[in-house]
Every structure is written in structure tokens, then in C-alpha cells.
Amino acid sequence: MTAVAQRTYTGVERAAVLMMLVGEEEAAAILQKLDPEEVRQLGKAMFAVADVSEQAVEDVLDDFVDRARERSSIQFDPRPRIEAVMNKALGTTKADSVLARITPSDAACELEMLEWMDAGEIAAMIEKEHPQIAAVLIANLDPQVAGQVLELLPDACQPDILHRIARLGPITPEAVETLKGVLAAHTGGSTQGGVTLGGAREAAKILSGARKATEQRVMPKLFKLDRELAKQIEEAMFVFENLLEMDDKNLGSLIRNVDGEILVKALKGCDEAVRNRILGCMSARAADGIRDEMEARGPTKLAEVMEAQKVMIKIARALASDGTIQMGGGADDDYV
């Protein structure tokens, strides 16, 4: 009798066999430790190995032979089990997002599924859509991914989209229904309910997730489009704690350009670690003088502290603009 050639399983499929054999609790615990792309690959493979034979199971995991013999093969509808595992590991919303892409038949799709799509796929999906639709969809993303999506869109539309993101507010169910058509065309899913999106802070997070070159290209255009809003975004992009990203040399240069009165007020609102980091860039004598002044002043109004910190940030940006200091660690991918 001619032996039937055994199918060779990939590493992901072997992992999928294990996932189909272990309990839901164990499977859910494994999925929780994977990133979105790994969840997608593993979930898809779980469908692919639904008819795995007993021999294949023994080949994949010898220490599961006894359990594999009891089943002989995973010949059953995998959907209930996979859905249960995904829901337990990721929650209903994310599980629906994953299942919408890997289930052979129809599956639900929520706006949150955008977080489980890669930047290139999202950019391609919205490139020809109205800027307002693009703005709402991008505002749903993790800021890091949103910044990447913004970069992949045509340069000409980037300022307009960022402006719209900063102006977003309550999104009505009717507006979300419009978005459903866009998503459904690409995923076959549906959306429901109203959400609140956008704002200057959200736009700032998105732009911060993009490369420095993108910020330098977009912000001047945004200032022409809406100066006040651009200022809000700029302020939201850089907070006092960001000063600590500078090395000692640059931070020291900044401190030498800040009036002692401003420095005392700014540091009053910081925790000890931040104070020590900044004062550590000064001479011991100067640092002791600042500490003594802070103690002598007693309580300081929060508004005065915030204003002093804003002044320091403004000085830092000005020094960085004229090349006196370099803010942050510098992005490794900002080469030209």
C-alpha cells in the first residue's frame, strides 16, 4: 500500500495546533502576550489546521499524544472555540476586529478595528476619501500609527487633515454611519454609536508620532491655515517633561539662558527626580542657590508654575530653532 504523504506544517500552523488543543484559559493567556499581527496570523492558521490529523498532532507535540488520541483530529466547526478564545483574550471589540479579517464568512467590524490594521493599509483606504472622513478615521488610531498614516498620505492634504483632526468634536451616529460605508467597502463590517474624537492634543499626539521632517513640513502650513489652532497643537506637542529628553550639555545650555526667577518657579511644580535632573546640569553652587530660593518662597500658585514652565519651553524651542541646542534624542530615521 502506498503511503500517503503527510502535509508539512509551518511554524505558525504548529502553534495553531497547540492553540486548538489547550484550554480556552491557556489559549487566551497566550494571545494576550502577542501583538496584533501575530494574533492575526495565528488566528488565521487556527482555521487552516481545523482538520489536522492525529498523526500530524503527534508530530507537532509528542507530549500531547494522549490528548490528541482522544480527539484523533480536530474535525469540528472551529468558529465557536476561536471566537471564545479571542473574546476572552482581547475583549469583544478587538476580537471582532480580528475575526472580521480572518473568518471565512461575514464578521462584525467596529471602528476600533483600525488599530489592528497596518498604516499602509489604512492610508490606501482613505487616500481618496474626503479629508473629513480621513480625519475621523485617523483620530481613531493609536498616535504612533496615526503619525505613520499621515506621512503616507499626499503632502498637500496633510495640513488640512491635521487641522480637521484638531477641530473634531462629538461625532454623531449619522456621521459614524457614513464611516461605516467606507469601512464596509474594505472589510465588510459595520459600525454603530456616536463617539467624541480629535482636538488639539490628539492632533499633537499624531504629529508627534510622525517623523520630525513631517512636523517641519506640516506645521508652517498649518500656521497659515489656522494660526491659533497651530499654536495650540505646538504647545500640546511639547510639555515641560520633554526637556528631560535633552542630554546634559543641551539642558545645561538651556538653563544658562533661563532667568533664575523663572527657573525657581518652574521647578516648584516638579517632583524631586525632575528637579535633581535639571539642577544636576548646573554647578553645585548655583544648584544650591536655586534650592535655597525654592525653600524660602514657600507655596507657589500653580498658575505661576505653569506659566514659568511655558516660558522655559518657549526659550528651548527658540534655542533649538536657531541651532543653539538640540532638543530630544534625535530621531534615527530623520536622515536626508
Side-chain angles (χ1 to χ4, degrees), residues 177-204:
E177 194 66 22
T178 300
L179 298 178
K180 182 176 81 170
V182 176
L183 291 174
H186 297 272
T187 65
S190 62
T191 61
Q192 55 186 339
V195 293
T196 298
L197 299 170
R201 289 186 178 278
E202 187 65 25

mmCIF file of all heavy atoms in Angstrom, residues 177-204:
data_model
loop_
_atom_site.group_PDB
_atom_site.id
_atom_site.type_symbol
_atom_site.label_atom_id
_atom_site.label_comp_id
_atom_site.label_asym_id
_atom_site.label_seq_id
_atom_site.Cartn_x
_atom_site.Cartn_y
_atom_site.Cartn_z
ATOM 1 N N GLU A 177 -22.302 56.450 10.752
ATOM 2 C CA GLU A 177 -22.946 55.601 9.749
ATOM 3 C C GLU A 177 -22.315 55.830 8.383
ATOM 4 O O GLU A 177 -22.174 54.907 7.581
ATOM 5 C CB GLU A 177 -24.449 55.906 9.709
ATOM 6 C CG GLU A 177 -25.269 54.873 8.965
ATOM 7 C CD GLU A 177 -25.277 53.520 9.660
ATOM 8 O OE1 GLU A 177 -25.015 53.479 10.882
ATOM 9 O OE2 GLU A 177 -25.532 52.512 8.977
ATOM 10 N N THR A 178 -21.923 57.077 8.116
ATOM 11 C CA THR A 178 -21.232 57.380 6.863
ATOM 12 C C THR A 178 -19.880 56.671 6.811
ATOM 13 O O THR A 178 -19.473 56.137 5.779
ATOM 14 C CB THR A 178 -21.013 58.906 6.732
ATOM 15 O OG1 THR A 178 -22.276 59.568 6.748
ATOM 16 C CG2 THR A 178 -20.292 59.238 5.432
ATOM 17 N N LEU A 179 -19.209 56.672 7.934
ATOM 18 C CA LEU A 179 -17.920 55.988 8.008
ATOM 19 C C LEU A 179 -18.079 54.497 7.787
ATOM 20 O O LEU A 179 -17.188 53.828 7.271
ATOM 21 C CB LEU A 179 -17.266 56.234 9.369
ATOM 22 C CG LEU A 179 -16.931 57.682 9.720
ATOM 23 C CD1 LEU A 179 -16.328 57.755 11.116
ATOM 24 C CD2 LEU A 179 -15.970 58.271 8.709
ATOM 25 N N LYS A 180 -19.223 53.991 8.214
ATOM 26 C CA LYS A 180 -19.460 52.561 8.058
ATOM 27 C C LYS A 180 -19.349 52.143 6.597
ATOM 28 O O LYS A 180 -18.828 51.071 6.285
ATOM 29 C CB LYS A 180 -20.845 52.197 8.592
ATOM 30 C CG LYS A 180 -21.149 50.704 8.502
ATOM 31 C CD LYS A 180 -22.495 50.373 9.133
ATOM 32 C CE LYS A 180 -23.632 50.664 8.189
ATOM 33 N NZ LYS A 180 -24.919 50.135 8.700
ATOM 34 N N GLY A 181 -19.830 53.004 5.718
ATOM 35 C CA GLY A 181 -19.753 52.677 4.298
ATOM 36 C C GLY A 181 -18.325 52.560 3.819
ATOM 37 O O GLY A 181 -17.996 51.692 3.008
ATOM 38 N N VAL A 182 -17.464 53.442 4.329
ATOM 39 C CA VAL A 182 -16.048 53.404 3.949
ATOM 40 C C VAL A 182 -15.401 52.121 4.448
ATOM 41 O O VAL A 182 -14.696 51.427 3.715
ATOM 42 C CB VAL A 182 -15.300 54.625 4.523
ATOM 43 C CG1 VAL A 182 -13.814 54.535 4.201
ATOM 44 C CG2 VAL A 182 -15.894 55.909 3.962
ATOM 45 N N LEU A 183 -15.633 51.806 5.716
ATOM 46 C CA LEU A 183 -15.035 50.605 6.298
ATOM 47 C C LEU A 183 -15.613 49.342 5.677
ATOM 48 O O LEU A 183 -14.896 48.379 5.417
ATOM 49 C CB LEU A 183 -15.255 50.587 7.809
ATOM 50 C CG LEU A 183 -14.476 51.639 8.599
ATOM 51 C CD1 LEU A 183 -14.905 51.617 10.065
ATOM 52 C CD2 LEU A 183 -12.991 51.386 8.494
ATOM 53 N N ALA A 184 -16.937 49.348 5.451
ATOM 54 C CA ALA A 184 -17.589 48.163 4.907
ATOM 55 C C ALA A 184 -17.054 47.825 3.520
ATOM 56 O O ALA A 184 -16.952 46.661 3.137
ATOM 57 C CB ALA A 184 -19.095 48.362 4.857
ATOM 58 N N ALA A 185 -16.693 48.869 2.762
ATOM 59 C CA ALA A 185 -16.173 48.644 1.412
ATOM 60 C C ALA A 185 -14.854 47.886 1.438
ATOM 61 O O ALA A 185 -14.481 47.214 0.489
ATOM 62 C CB ALA A 185 -15.977 49.988 0.700
ATOM 63 N N HIS A 186 -14.156 47.968 2.558
ATOM 64 C CA HIS A 186 -12.850 47.322 2.684
ATOM 65 C C HIS A 186 -12.867 46.106 3.595
ATOM 66 O O HIS A 186 -12.008 45.244 3.490
ATOM 67 C CB HIS A 186 -11.816 48.327 3.205
ATOM 68 C CG HIS A 186 -11.593 49.476 2.283
ATOM 69 N ND1 HIS A 186 -10.662 49.457 1.263
ATOM 70 C CD2 HIS A 186 -12.203 50.678 2.208
ATOM 71 C CE1 HIS A 186 -10.702 50.605 0.606
ATOM 72 N NE2 HIS A 186 -11.623 51.363 1.165
ATOM 73 N N THR A 187 -13.846 46.055 4.508
ATOM 74 C CA THR A 187 -13.851 44.964 5.479
ATOM 75 C C THR A 187 -15.142 44.178 5.525
ATOM 76 O O THR A 187 -15.195 43.112 6.112
ATOM 77 C CB THR A 187 -13.600 45.510 6.893
ATOM 78 O OG1 THR A 187 -14.698 46.364 7.273
ATOM 79 C CG2 THR A 187 -12.321 46.318 6.956
ATOM 80 N N GLY A 188 -16.197 44.743 4.958
ATOM 81 C CA GLY A 188 -17.483 44.059 5.023
ATOM 82 C C GLY A 188 -18.119 44.135 6.381
ATOM 83 O O GLY A 188 -19.021 43.374 6.694
ATOM 84 N N GLY A 189 -17.667 45.080 7.239
ATOM 85 C CA GLY A 189 -18.168 45.177 8.605
ATOM 86 C C GLY A 189 -19.204 46.245 8.779
ATOM 87 O O GLY A 189 -19.785 46.759 7.833
ATOM 88 N N SER A 190 -19.460 46.602 10.045
ATOM 89 C CA SER A 190 -20.440 47.616 10.377
ATOM 90 C C SER A 190 -19.971 48.383 11.591
ATOM 91 O O SER A 190 -19.173 47.909 12.367
ATOM 92 C CB SER A 190 -21.794 46.973 10.681
ATOM 93 O OG SER A 190 -21.682 46.117 11.801
ATOM 94 N N THR A 191 -20.486 49.591 11.755
ATOM 95 C CA THR A 191 -20.175 50.397 12.917
ATOM 96 C C THR A 191 -21.457 50.919 13.512
ATOM 97 O O THR A 191 -22.492 50.960 12.858
ATOM 98 C CB THR A 191 -19.287 51.600 12.540
ATOM 99 O OG1 THR A 191 -20.001 52.422 11.615
ATOM 100 C CG2 THR A 191 -17.992 51.148 11.908
ATOM 101 N N GLN A 192 -21.400 51.347 14.766
ATOM 102 C CA GLN A 192 -22.598 51.858 15.388
ATOM 103 C C GLN A 192 -22.234 52.791 16.533
ATOM 104 O O GLN A 192 -21.138 52.765 17.044
ATOM 105 C CB GLN A 192 -23.457 50.705 15.937
ATOM 106 C CG GLN A 192 -22.705 49.799 16.893
ATOM 107 C CD GLN A 192 -23.525 48.609 17.301
ATOM 108 O OE1 GLN A 192 -24.751 48.627 17.213
ATOM 109 N NE2 GLN A 192 -22.871 47.569 17.748
ATOM 110 N N GLY A 193 -23.188 53.639 16.922
ATOM 111 C CA GLY A 193 -22.997 54.519 18.066
ATOM 112 C C GLY A 193 -22.269 55.803 17.720
ATOM 113 O O GLY A 193 -21.761 55.997 16.631
ATOM 114 N N GLY A 194 -22.227 56.750 18.669
ATOM 115 C CA GLY A 194 -21.552 58.017 18.495
ATOM 116 C C GLY A 194 -20.309 58.068 19.354
ATOM 117 O O GLY A 194 -20.252 57.472 20.417
ATOM 118 N N VAL A 195 -19.312 58.797 18.901
ATOM 119 C CA VAL A 195 -18.063 58.912 19.641
ATOM 120 C C VAL A 195 -17.593 60.359 19.625
ATOM 121 O O VAL A 195 -18.063 61.166 18.839
ATOM 122 C CB VAL A 195 -16.961 58.019 19.029
ATOM 123 C CG1 VAL A 195 -17.300 56.558 19.206
ATOM 124 C CG2 VAL A 195 -16.781 58.340 17.551
ATOM 125 N N THR A 196 -16.663 60.704 20.500
ATOM 126 C CA THR A 196 -16.045 62.021 20.529
ATOM 127 C C THR A 196 -14.576 61.857 20.185
ATOM 128 O O THR A 196 -13.874 61.079 20.821
ATOM 129 C CB THR A 196 -16.181 62.662 21.921
ATOM 130 O OG1 THR A 196 -17.569 62.822 22.213
ATOM 131 C CG2 THR A 196 -15.504 64.025 21.937
ATOM 132 N N LEU A 197 -14.143 62.595 19.175
ATOM 133 C CA LEU A 197 -12.783 62.418 18.665
ATOM 134 C C LEU A 197 -12.079 63.753 18.507
ATOM 135 O O LEU A 197 -12.690 64.813 18.507
ATOM 136 C CB LEU A 197 -12.825 61.716 17.292
ATOM 137 C CG LEU A 197 -13.447 60.323 17.240
ATOM 138 C CD1 LEU A 197 -13.617 59.911 15.796
ATOM 139 C CD2 LEU A 197 -12.586 59.330 17.977
ATOM 140 N N GLY A 198 -10.762 63.680 18.325
ATOM 141 C CA GLY A 198 -9.978 64.817 17.902
ATOM 142 C C GLY A 198 -9.637 65.808 18.996
ATOM 143 O O GLY A 198 -9.651 65.519 20.183
ATOM 144 N N GLY A 199 -9.291 67.013 18.563
ATOM 145 C CA GLY A 199 -8.841 68.060 19.460
ATOM 146 C C GLY A 199 -7.370 68.349 19.225
ATOM 147 O O GLY A 199 -6.652 67.558 18.594
ATOM 148 N N ALA A 200 -6.915 69.491 19.724
ATOM 149 C CA ALA A 200 -5.526 69.888 19.521
ATOM 150 C C ALA A 200 -4.556 68.873 20.116
ATOM 151 O O ALA A 200 -3.520 68.569 19.526
ATOM 152 C CB ALA A 200 -5.287 71.271 20.129
ATOM 153 N N ARG A 201 -4.883 68.336 21.289
ATOM 154 C CA ARG A 201 -3.989 67.360 21.922
ATOM 155 C C ARG A 201 -3.880 66.091 21.088
ATOM 156 O O ARG A 201 -2.799 65.506 20.962
ATOM 157 C CB ARG A 201 -4.482 67.035 23.337
ATOM 158 C CG ARG A 201 -4.290 68.167 24.322
ATOM 159 C CD ARG A 201 -4.663 67.742 25.733
ATOM 160 N NE ARG A 201 -4.431 68.807 26.684
ATOM 161 C CZ ARG A 201 -3.254 69.101 27.224
ATOM 162 N NH1 ARG A 201 -2.188 68.384 26.904
ATOM 163 N NH2 ARG A 201 -3.126 70.090 28.085
ATOM 164 N N GLU A 202 -5.015 65.640 20.538
ATOM 165 C CA GLU A 202 -4.986 64.435 19.714
ATOM 166 C C GLU A 202 -4.174 64.675 18.448
ATOM 167 O O GLU A 202 -3.384 63.825 18.021
ATOM 168 C CB GLU A 202 -6.410 64.015 19.354
ATOM 169 C CG GLU A 202 -6.503 62.684 18.637
ATOM 170 C CD GLU A 202 -6.047 61.521 19.513
ATOM 171 O OE1 GLU A 202 -6.123 61.647 20.757
ATOM 172 O OE2 GLU A 202 -5.612 60.506 18.944
ATOM 173 N N ALA A 203 -4.357 65.850 17.843
ATOM 174 C CA ALA A 203 -3.583 66.185 16.650
ATOM 175 C C ALA A 203 -2.098 66.249 16.985
ATOM 176 O O ALA A 203 -1.254 65.814 16.200
ATOM 177 C CB ALA A 203 -4.052 67.529 16.082
ATOM 178 N N ALA A 204 -1.779 66.785 18.170
ATOM 179 C CA ALA A 204 -0.380 66.870 18.599
ATOM 180 C C ALA A 204 0.221 65.487 18.779
ATOM 181 O O ALA A 204 1.369 65.235 18.387
ATOM 182 C CB ALA A 204 -0.284 67.659 19.906
#
